[in-house]
């Protein structure tokens, strides 16, 4: 696939996402059908949703990986499903509030905390579910692990109150965002799709500067995701560079300097070499030598 085809495909997928349409491949359909046979599927999905998905995928070929993959000495597997997912999802869909009782970091119990939940989020790193919610008492956005919640109770809200909270969430979320402009070096323009994929989880705008033959990618990211962006920049290496954020450029420079320092340290003094005859006649000479150079024999 040439560069123009990749650009066209990217533009087409962007427009499909804007219109709410979703396209999926035969491999994705086969994978989904395999996932519906997982023991956790009936717990994670409602019976109506599960029945509808089975009907949609009835004619699809099932993906069977048993002939290609062999599991050996795997660690204990924890279910990604949590019992609070369903009630919290219903609270969010119905624009309700909740009363939360849970454990905090110092071990004490925090009870009857009122909040307005707006998103469920799963951390692939920590393998844990989080509920994101707005605390009107403190006018702050909060994040709570589901396994730290002891009890949750739905709280009915008036539509105008829910709309007011949603507006404050949008304002606070926008304040937490920042922008980073990334330039793709011209000699790596053919790898644009790979670079865009690395930042696929963020909002972005792509601009092509014809005079410099350079692609500029403007990312809009939450401030707490800056370290993730820097890790992706290190992964992509010399293909990209940060164009506008002085603080992030300085952090990348410090990282590069620390890495280079590991390879510019003075080498240990070279030991005097031995001839082939000496090695053959005394093959284990070094094994009987102490650290101070005195023979133990």
């Amino acid at each position: 696939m040439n560069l123009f085809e990749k650009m066209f495909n990217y533009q087409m997928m962007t427009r499909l996402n804007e219109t709410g349409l979703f396209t999926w491949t035969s491999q994705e359909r086969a994978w989904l059908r395999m996932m519906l046979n997982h023991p956790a599927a009936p717990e994670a999905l409602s019976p109506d949703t599960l029945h509808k998905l089975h009907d949609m995928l009835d004619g699809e070929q099932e993906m069977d990986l048993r002939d290609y993959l062999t599991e050996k000495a795997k660690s204990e597997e924890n279910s990604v499903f949590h019992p609070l997912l369903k009630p919290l999802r219903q609270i969010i869909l119905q624009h309700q509030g909740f009363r939360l009782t849970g454990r905090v970091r110092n071990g004490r119990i925090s009870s009857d905390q009122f909040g307005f939940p707006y998103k469920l989020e799963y951390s692939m790193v920590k393998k844990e579910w989080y509920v994101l919610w707005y605390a009107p008492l403190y006018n702050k956005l909060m994040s709570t692990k589901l396994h730290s919640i002891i009890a949750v109770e739905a709280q009915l809200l008036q539509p105008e109150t829910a709309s007011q909270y949603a507006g404050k969430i949008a304002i606070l979320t926008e304040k937490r965002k920042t922008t980073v402009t990334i330039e793709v070096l011209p000699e790596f323009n053919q790898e644009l799709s790979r670079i865009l994929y690395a930042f696929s989880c963020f909002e972005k705008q792509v601009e092509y500067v014809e005079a410099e033959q350079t692609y500029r990618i403007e990312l809009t990211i939450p401030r707490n995701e800056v370290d993730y962006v820097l890790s992706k920049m290190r992964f992509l290496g010399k293909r990209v560079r940060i164009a506008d954020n002085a603080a992030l450029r300085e952090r990348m420079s410090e990282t590069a300097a620390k890495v280079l320092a590991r390879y510019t340290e003075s080498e240990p003094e070279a030991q005097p070499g031995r001839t082939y005859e000496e090695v053959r006649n005394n093959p284990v000479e070094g094994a009987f030598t102490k650290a101070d150079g005195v023979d133990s024999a």
Side-chain angles (χ1 to χ4, degrees):
M1 184 182 296
N2 61 42
L3 179 60
F4 294 102
E5 290 176 337
K6 292 180 180 179
M7 292 171 58
F8 174 76
N9 288 344
Y10 174 75
Q11 292 175 352
M12 183 179 67
M13 293 302 298
T14 302
R15 293 185 180 181
L16 286 175
N17 291 335
E18 291 174 353
T19 57
L21 296 176
F22 176 76
T23 60
W24 53 349
T25 64
S26 59
Q27 290 84 359
E28 291 170 337
R29 294 193 294 271
W31 176 86
L32 179 56
R33 183 172 182 182
M34 181 183 68
M35 290 296 102
L36 292 179
N37 294 329
H38 193 279
E43 299 175 346
L45 301 172
S46 66
D48 292 341
T49 302
L50 193 61
H51 180 70
K52 184 177 181 179
L53 288 174
H54 275 298
D55 287 344
M56 292 173 60
L57 300 170
D58 186 39
E60 296 296 330
Q61 184 178 1
E62 187 172 347
M63 182 184 295
D64 190 356
L65 302 179
R66 289 175 295 182
D67 296 335
Y68 308 100
L69 299 177
T70 303
E71 288 185 316
K72 293 184 178 180
K74 70 174 183 179
S75 58
E76 184 179 355
E77 186 178 278
N78 296 322
S79 175
V80 296
F81 177 77
H82 194 281
L84 289 176
L85 283 175
K86 278 188 178 181
L88 286 172
R89 183 169 56 187
Q90 290 300 317
I91 292 174
I92 293 172
L93 291 175
Q94 296 172 9
H95 303 287
Q96 297 178 346
F98 61 19
R99 294 282 178 179
L100 195 66
T101 300
R103 292 179 293 270
V104 294
R105 291 183 179 178
N106 56 11
R108 66 182 181 87
I109 302 298
S110 176
S111 59
D112 202 31
Q113 289 287 328
F114 173 72
F116 181 74
Y118 63 94
K119 184 183 290 187
L120 288 166
E121 193 172 78
Y122 183 73
S123 171
M124 295 295 293
V125 176
K126 299 182 179 180
K127 307 296 183 183
E128 288 183 317
W129 279 99
Y130 290 78
V131 57
L132 309 184
W133 54 285
Y134 169 68
L137 181 61
Y138 308 105
N139 193 32
K140 289 184 177 180
L141 300 181
M142 312 292 285
S143 175
T144 303
K145 299 177 182 178
L146 294 197
H147 82 262
S148 298
I149 298 175
I150 299 174
V152 61
E153 180 183 354
Q155 183 81 33
L156 290 176
L157 294 177
Q158 295 296 327
E160 54 271 16
T161 304
S163 298
Q164 181 183 1
Y165 290 161
K168 290 184 178 180
I169 290 171
I171 293 172
L172 292 174
T173 302
E174 197 63 31
K175 286 182 178 179
R176 287 186 172 190
K177 290 182 178 180
T178 185
T179 59
V180 180
T181 302
I182 297 172
E183 286 185 351
V184 181
L185 273 65
E187 56 265 35
F188 297 102
N189 283 347
Q190 68 274 14
E191 299 189 36
L192 178 63
S193 58
R194 175 190 178 185
I195 296 168
L196 290 174
Y197 179 78
F199 301 109
S200 59
C201 56
F202 299 118
E203 300 175 20
K204 53 189 170 296
Q205 296 290 334
V206 183
E207 177 189 8
Y208 180 67
V209 183
E210 188 173 357
E212 302 175 4
Q213 296 185 349
T214 302
Y215 286 98
R216 295 172 64 91
I217 307 169
E218 184 180 275
L219 300 178
T220 303
I221 61 173
R223 296 184 186 277
N224 60 350
E225 297 288 353
V226 166
D227 289 336
Y228 178 80
V229 172
L230 293 179
S231 70
K232 289 296 184 181
M233 293 293 296
R234 299 183 189 106
F235 170 74
L236 293 171
K238 62 182 181 180
R239 298 170 179 80
V240 293
R241 64 185 173 197
I242 298 174
D244 61 347
N245 194 308
L248 297 188
R249 289 169 64 95
E250 181 64 25
R251 288 187 60 180
M252 289 295 294
S253 178
E254 290 176 359
T255 301
K258 290 178 181 178
V259 172
L260 289 173
R262 294 183 181 273
Y263 298 94
T264 56
E265 294 176 355
S266 58
E267 296 292 336
E269 295 183 3
Q271 299 295 328
R274 296 188 297 168
T275 64
Y276 172 76
E277 291 295 331
E278 291 174 337
V279 174
R280 187 180 64 176
N281 295 334
N282 300 286
V284 293
E285 176 184 352
F288 300 97
T289 304
K290 293 183 178 179
D292 57 1
V294 181
D295 280 355
S296 59

